[in-house]
Amino acid sequence: RKAIVDPGELSTDAYVRKWISEEYTGLEFDKGDNTSFYAKNGIRVRSKSEVLIANALVDYKVPFKYECPLKVGGFYKYPDFTVLNVKTRKAFYWEHFGIMDDAGYVSSMMEKYRLYEKMGLVLGKDYIVTFESRHVPLSTQSVENIIKRYLM
């Protein structure tokens, strides 16, 4: 009987396992990049602030993928994090912009923002952003507030 019964929708645990197990190839680290920023779950990230975000996601048991490719037209962008709201089964993109003191960096950030707009993504609905500068670092409280608001 089991073979002919369609269980319908996956259970939450099964859905999360399937979502996490989907293979992808993220961005490679540059040769000679000897930075060693690792989250609690062993994933290598590019900055201390991304460690803070990744560790908070681990602590709150929010499934995520790091630099998972997002196809845009004929090319790919790599959002910092693709995160899953388990209750709604909705994936969000989370971009962290960490060098807001640098005009060139801000310009490239704005290009990414405009690209997301062109794709029809809405800030706060489809993607989340955090910012920091040398004088205003990312806070754990900000990260936790975002997780509680969008992902719990």
Side-chain angles (χ1 to χ4, degrees), residues 85 88 92 123-125 127-128 145-152:
N85 179 317
T88 65
F92 289 84
L123 182 62
K125 181 180 175 201
Y127 71 102
I128 303 162
N145 287 342
I146 287 170
I147 290 170
K148 289 174 185 173
R149 179 172 183 174
Y150 294 101
L151 303 170
M152 303 304 294

Side-chain angles (χ1 to χ4, degrees), residues 49-92:
S49 295
E50 289 183 345
V51 169
L52 189 152
I53 294 168
N55 285 345
L57 292 168
V58 169
D59 289 345
Y60 280 92
K61 296 178 178 47
V62 175
F64 72 92
K65 299 174 183 180
Y66 183 69
E67 293 183 343
C68 183
L70 170 63
K71 191 166 187 176
V72 181
F75 58 97
Y76 290 93
K77 286 292 181 185
Y78 296 83
D80 295 327
F81 297 91
T82 303
V83 293
L84 180 66
N85 179 317
V86 174
K87 287 182 184 173
T88 65
R89 298 185 179 189
K90 178 174 174 42
F92 289 84

Side-chain angles (χ1 to χ4, degrees), residues 9 18 25 29 36 50 52 68 72 81 106 118 141 144:
E9 194 172 315
K18 181 179 182 288
T25 302
F29 286 81
S36 56
E50 289 183 345
L52 189 152
C68 183
V72 181
F81 297 91
V106 171
K118 286 180 185 176
Q141 189 64 47
E144 289 176 3

Side-chain angles (χ1 to χ4, degrees), residues 114-149:
R114 287 194 183 115
L115 178 65
Y116 285 170
E117 270 187 338
K118 286 180 185 176
M119 292 173 59
L121 300 177
V122 177
L123 182 62
K125 181 180 175 201
D126 303 304
Y127 71 102
I128 303 162
V129 294
T130 46
F131 304 93
E132 72 179 317
S133 69
R134 187 175 321 130
H135 301 292
V136 184
L138 181 65
S139 74
T140 55
Q141 189 64 47
S142 293
V143 171
E144 289 176 3
N145 287 342
I146 287 170
I147 290 170
K148 289 174 185 173
R149 179 172 183 174

